[in-house]
Amino acid sequence: YAGDLSQPFHNISYDIFNRLRHNRNDGIVEDEVLGNIAGIQRNMYRIVLRPQYFEQDLCKEIARIANISRHLGHRLRKENRDMTKEEAYIQLGHSASLVRAILQHFGKLPK
């Protein structure tokens, strides 16, 4: 769920535009991403999920990332185009940042 959250085509209507471009955009960096982890890391940032407000903070971050993704999806539709690789890495940075914050909350990564 956290990984798909940053996918713009998962946050807009599943209309003709989305159906024609969805799979291609889901895999825009698929062939290179494992060799370019730095491309994700340079787009990561700190997300704080406070222990006493974990669920509230998590919901806020999910909504924030979903809205960023939705805005990109609408821009792609308006411009009738696919994501660029740079846009894909930015989106992956959002999801990776959220996953890292969740793992840190549960003590699976150092803070």
Side-chain angles (χ1 to χ4, degrees), residues 17 21 71-84 87:
F17 174 81
R21 295 175 179 269
H71 288 298
L72 176 57
H74 288 304
R75 188 168 70 244
L76 295 172
R77 179 186 286 123
K78 181 179 179 183
E79 296 171 5
N80 194 32
R81 67 177 180 88
D82 294 327
M83 275 192 294
T84 64
E87 287 169 327

Side-chain angles (χ1 to χ4, degrees), residues 74-102:
H74 288 304
R75 188 168 70 244
L76 295 172
R77 179 186 286 123
K78 181 179 179 183
E79 296 171 5
N80 194 32
R81 67 177 180 88
D82 294 327
M83 275 192 294
T84 64
K85 287 185 178 191
E86 183 58 31
E87 287 169 327
Y89 281 107
I90 290 169
Q91 294 306 110
L92 288 167
H94 293 303
S95 284
S97 298
L98 181 59
V99 169
R100 180 177 60 191
I102 293 167

Side-chain angles (χ1 to χ4, degrees), residues 5-28:
L5 184 60
S6 66
Q7 291 286 18
F9 287 82
H10 293 200
N11 287 283
I12 61 174
S13 299
Y14 194 62
D15 57 9
I16 292 172
F17 174 81
N18 192 327
R19 283 193 295 273
L20 291 174
R21 295 175 179 269
H22 191 110
N23 288 340
R24 183 170 50 240
N25 280 269
D26 273 3
I28 212 97

Side-chain angles (χ1 to χ4, degrees), residues 56-67:
Q56 184 179 10
D57 289 348
L58 180 60
C59 290
K60 178 182 167 190
E61 290 300 322
I62 287 170
R64 185 184 63 77
I65 294 170
N67 279 324

